[in-house]
Amino acid sequence: VQFIEARLEDPELTPGTIRALVQNGSSCSIDTSEEATITVDPKSVGGQLNPADMDFCLGQYKDATLTLKGKVGNVQYWQSSQDAINWSIFMPAIDTAYDIPSNTTQSTQYRTIVKSGVCPADTSAIANVNVVNVTISPGIGVTASLVRSTPCATHGCRPTSVTTQPASRAAKAAG
């Protein structure tokens, strides 16, 4: 008995069981083969990472999650790149979501590789995480504190309130 693996790309192919008719020349009787099962894997679809563009503040520790939507198949791995040429492979704990680490200091692109069964793998759409550094330059002898009441990833990195105080009072409060 010889087993043959065949890969067919036919949109009309459906899962099921078949039997082949076997005949060794026209003068021989027809015989049937054992049953064979056909498994049809759907075409791999990489999906989209949401949000596609994210502003990420230095030191941000919440509301910075990329989520994979619309995929067909299993996530093989995630990739990240700072230049969209050289990609590093990693695998988050949950394969359809990734929390941007709070120590991220460079703008980074992310994508996933998804594969369905024996079908060729597909790449998701790229998500851009843009690192934004919010700084406030207080005057001489004055310290400043920044209060952000809304998530940076949702509303951008704009302070919602800024307070200043003389440096001597800030040192007294800290000490």
Side-chain angles (χ1 to χ4, degrees):
V1 175
Q2 181 180 13
F3 292 97
I4 300 172
E5 180 180 329
R7 294 184 184 192
L8 304 172
E9 292 187 25
D10 181 352
E12 303 300 319
L13 194 60
T14 58
T17 304
I18 62 166
R19 289 182 182 264
L21 300 177
V22 180
Q23 186 175 19
N24 192 11
S26 59
S27 62
C28 297
S29 60
I30 296 175
D31 195 5
T32 57
S33 70
E34 293 293 320
E35 290 183 352
T37 302
I38 296 176
T39 303
V40 179
D41 296 314
K43 181 181 177 184
S44 302
V45 176
Q48 306 81 236
L49 291 172
N50 293 319
D53 286 292
M54 175 192 296
D55 286 335
F56 180 86
C57 295
L58 284 174
Q60 183 173 338
Y61 60 92
K62 65 177 193 168
D63 300 322
T65 301
L66 295 174
T67 306
L68 179 61
K69 302 284 185 188
K71 72 171 181 68
V72 176
N74 297 314
V75 175
Q76 302 298 295
Y77 48 87
W78 284 61
Q79 293 181 318
S80 64
S81 175
Q82 277 81 45
D83 61 10
I85 297 170
N86 301 299
W87 293 89
S88 299
I89 295 173
F90 68 97
M91 193 63 183
I94 300 172
D95 66 355
T96 57
Y98 178 62
D99 292 322
I100 307 301
S102 62
N103 63 351
T104 299
T105 59
Q106 288 186 303
S107 294
T108 306
Q109 294 180 315
Y110 294 91
R111 66 185 185 185
T112 63
I113 307 301
V114 177
K115 189 172 185 330
S116 175
V118 298
C119 300
D122 191 33
T123 305
S124 71
I126 291 174
N128 297 297
V129 175
N130 307 302
V131 174
V132 180
N133 188 5
V134 177
T135 58
I136 298 175
S137 300
I140 296 176
V142 175
T143 62
S145 61
L146 169 67
V147 177
R148 187 176 62 228
S149 64
T150 56
C152 180
T154 306
H155 302 286
C157 294
R158 293 180 203 95
T160 54
S161 68
V162 176
T163 59
T164 60
Q165 60 185 350
S168 58
R169 191 167 27 152
K172 195 181 292 183

